Amino acid sequence: MPTIEGTGVGTPRLQKPENYRRAERGTLGQSTFRTAMGKAGGIMRRRIIIRLELTPQAKKALEETCERNGMTQVAVSSRLVEWFAVQSDMLQAAILGHYPKDLEGDIAKLILQRMAKKK
């Protein structure tokens, strides 16, 4: 527990405890950016770190997927988000469950037909 001592001018000053460690500059109250090596020729790419809220079942599924593929949770999550972002609006809506249950079969057929036409 920190103790208070006088500064000689009547203003109390907080004493640091013995196990006090100063946080690295720029890590409190700001978005944290990390730099990762890119795949092509060591190009540096900026990465933004975010938090995900998962259900226990989703966390377990993520852990199993990572273990099975020899990847980190960050790597799997990042690849999923990158993949999702480049999908069509129709496919994104289907993945997010925005279509009524009774139309899922029809929507799936329509999506597959459109994907086949693009090739």
Side-chain angles (χ1 to χ4, degrees):
M1 183 88 186
T3 59
I4 298 197
E5 69 174 332
T7 60
V9 290
T11 308
R13 184 174 168 193
L14 193 60
Q15 233 6 28
K16 297 175 192 160
E18 290 180 26
N19 62 350
Y20 174 82
R21 280 186 35 204
R22 183 181 176 113
E24 291 181 10
R25 185 174 181 192
T27 60
L28 300 176
Q30 301 175 4
S31 297
T32 303
F33 290 92
R34 297 205 179 155
T35 306
M37 291 295 288
K39 291 182 182 179
I43 297 170
M44 302 299 274
R45 297 187 307 167
R46 287 196 104 159
R47 301 294 231 171
I48 299 170
I49 306 301
I50 63 168
R51 288 176 33 160
L52 294 176
E53 182 176 295
L54 302 173
T55 63
Q57 298 86 0
K59 172 74 167 142
K60 184 178 181 194
L62 178 61
E63 289 170 346
E64 290 171 355
T65 299
C66 293
E67 182 69 27
R68 187 172 56 253
N69 291 289
M71 297 173 66
T72 66
Q73 293 176 10
V74 171
V76 170
S77 301
S78 179
R79 288 186 188 187
L80 284 172
V81 170
E82 289 172 358
W83 169 82
F84 181 81
V86 298
Q87 302 308 308
S88 69
D89 290 342
M90 183 184 293
L91 186 55
Q92 286 183 9
I95 292 166
L96 295 172
H98 290 189
Y99 298 119
K101 291 278 186 197
D102 56 336
L103 295 179
E104 283 180 347
D106 295 331
I107 297 294
K109 289 176 188 173
L110 181 59
I111 290 171
L112 289 172
Q113 288 171 355
R114 289 193 178 179
M115 289 172 72
K117 287 180 184 177
K118 287 185 180 182
K119 288 185 177 186

